[in-house]
Amino acid sequence: MEEGKLGKQFHFDNEFWDTPLSCGIVDLYQLGEISCEYGYLIEEHEQYVNEITYVISGSGYSCIDRVQVPLKEGDVLMCSMGHLHSIRASERDILRFAYIGFRFHAAPDSPDMEALQNCYQEPYILSGDRNDMMSSLMHAVSELYTKADFWPVMLRGYCEQIVIQAVRNFMAVNSSLMTTSRANRSVSAEVYKIIQYVDKNIETIGGVREIAQAMGYNYTYLSHVFSRVTGVTLQKYISQKKIERARRLLRYDDYTVTKVAEILNYESLQSFSKAFRRVMGVTPTVYLRMEPGEGNESSGGVRED
């Protein structure tokens, strides 16, 4: 940052312009903290790196490409490289902030990294702190000054946290920002919850509509999402899991075929037998004769009632 002549209470600046520090996913060029007196101006300059500014206290404003952005305590300002940037403290308030200047270490090699780097393509993003980001910044500055054992490793972790936390702050208050990777991750989480629900309630589940109602989903949406992620329909998955459970009950517990149909909430013995045959290719009775084991079949006969 280029500074004016007067008006700083203090400034702790660490610069690595010639030899940036490698900090995991980013290269660190600048890290520090400054307290600006009333009206103090950090003059307009072109951003050579991506920069995150965290307002610790006070107020003021930043200009990005001549667009004025008000700043207050707790604000997180993300500015991307290549844009004009200046900061001024309020005429009636002291402005104290921490900052980090960085570039990404490499091109994105995963959907998550692509989504993260895309957020630093905007001229600026302003959000609030919802992830205790100030703590990460203060720890990072402290590591540079104390240089305690393993400080490069600790600094790397804090720098990565800061860059990610800034994006998380923005996403927390901008639900419309749905990158492809975030959407895919969200859908996968939904499908995983569905699978867990089915596994836990397989004996009582009647069908897809019942799951949709219990989990608060739209029936059509639930069916579409599950099929898209897993490659099978939700109804087919339920049928497969029910028959999987039926096989264990028949082979290892002392249950009749009729009782298993009742346990698994089938309307009738006939509907259970048809469902079993669709999955296994044979009826429950034939299956037991083909697969001897413990329980019912150990006596040498198969009971249906």
Side-chain angles (χ1 to χ4, degrees):
M1 296 180 178
E2 295 183 10
E3 303 143 4
K5 296 180 180 179
L6 299 172
K8 291 184 294 183
Q9 291 187 321
F10 62 78
H11 190 187
F12 302 103
D13 190 29
N14 300 274
E15 298 181 332
F16 313 98
W17 300 110
D18 294 331
T19 309
L21 299 182
S22 179
C23 292
I25 63 174
V26 299
D27 290 329
L28 180 64
Y29 286 79
Q30 194 174 26
L31 180 65
E33 180 184 349
I34 185 172
S35 181
C36 308
E37 294 181 346
Y38 310 132
Y40 179 72
L41 171 67
I42 297 175
E43 297 177 354
E44 186 177 75
H45 55 281
E46 184 175 348
Q47 283 296 123
Y48 176 71
V49 293
N50 299 310
E51 185 173 278
I52 300 171
T53 301
Y54 184 99
V55 181
I56 299 171
S57 61
S59 62
Y61 64 85
S62 176
C63 283
I64 300 95
D65 293 339
R66 313 294 166 83
V67 175
Q68 185 168 303
V69 181
L71 299 174
K72 65 182 185 303
E73 181 175 330
D75 278 348
V76 178
L77 180 66
M78 302 157 57
C79 298
S80 62
M81 54 193 296
H83 296 274
L84 297 176
H85 183 209
S86 66
I87 296 179
R88 182 188 290 274
S90 167
E91 296 293 338
R92 298 182 178 181
D93 208 355
I94 292 174
L95 177 64
R96 179 183 174 189
F97 61 89
Y99 55 89
I100 178 173
F102 66 94
R103 289 186 178 186
F104 285 100
H105 184 69
D109 58 359
S110 69
D112 278 340
M113 280 303 303
E114 183 176 5
L116 183 70
Q117 293 191 27
N118 282 344
C119 286
Y120 289 93
Q121 298 300 313
E122 299 293 327
Y124 75 92
I125 291 175
L126 180 68
S127 64
D129 182 17
R130 286 167 170 75
N131 294 288
D132 195 20
M133 188 172 160
M134 185 173 75
S135 176
S136 299
L137 272 163
M138 295 298 99
H139 282 304
V141 174
S142 176
E143 290 295 336
L144 279 177
Y145 280 107
T146 61
K147 288 188 167 57
D149 293 341
F150 311 110
W151 72 267
V153 179
M154 296 295 290
L155 179 63
R156 179 178 66 209
Y158 287 129
C159 287
E160 289 184 328
Q161 283 183 28
I162 293 163
V163 171
I164 294 170
Q165 284 173 324
V167 173
R168 281 185 169 181
N169 287 332
F170 176 54
M171 288 182 168
V173 293
N174 291 271
S175 58
S176 61
L177 181 66
M178 293 293 290
T179 63
T180 300
S181 65
R182 187 184 177 201
N184 288 340
R185 186 164 60 250
S186 175
V187 167
S188 296
E190 289 177 341
V191 172
Y192 183 68
K193 288 179 182 178
I194 296 166
I195 290 173
Q196 286 184 310
Y197 182 88
V198 171
D199 290 348
K200 184 178 179 180
N201 300 279
I202 191 59
E203 292 186 358
T204 59
I205 288 173
V208 177
R209 291 188 183 278
E210 180 182 325
I211 299 174
Q213 183 175 4
M215 299 188 68
Y217 288 106
N218 174 273
Y219 166 80
T220 304
Y221 171 80
L222 189 74
S223 301
H224 172 72
V225 165
F226 191 91
S227 178
R228 178 161 65 86
V229 172
T230 66
V232 299
T233 66
L234 181 52
Q235 186 59 59
K236 184 174 182 179
Y237 180 76
I238 294 170
S239 297
Q240 291 173 339
K241 296 299 292 185
K242 276 187 175 289
I243 300 309
E244 180 182 308
R245 176 67 173 146
R247 290 170 60 192
R248 290 199 298 270
L249 291 172
L250 289 168
R251 292 182 61 189
Y252 302 111
D253 295 291
D254 191 22
Y255 290 123
T256 65
V257 174
T258 300
K259 184 61 177 177
V260 171
E262 180 183 330
I263 291 172
L264 293 175
N265 201 29
Y266 283 94
E267 295 180 357
S268 65
L269 176 61
Q270 289 74 23
S271 62
F272 169 55
S273 295
K274 288 180 180 179
F276 194 99
R277 186 166 187 168
R278 278 197 299 270
V279 175
M280 298 302 299
V282 295
T283 65
T285 303
V286 173
Y287 169 77
L288 284 173
R289 290 176 181 152
M290 295 169 57
E291 299 284 344
E294 301 176 4
N296 296 338
E297 63 278 25
S298 63
S299 62
V302 177
R303 298 177 295 148
E304 294 210 3
D305 50 35

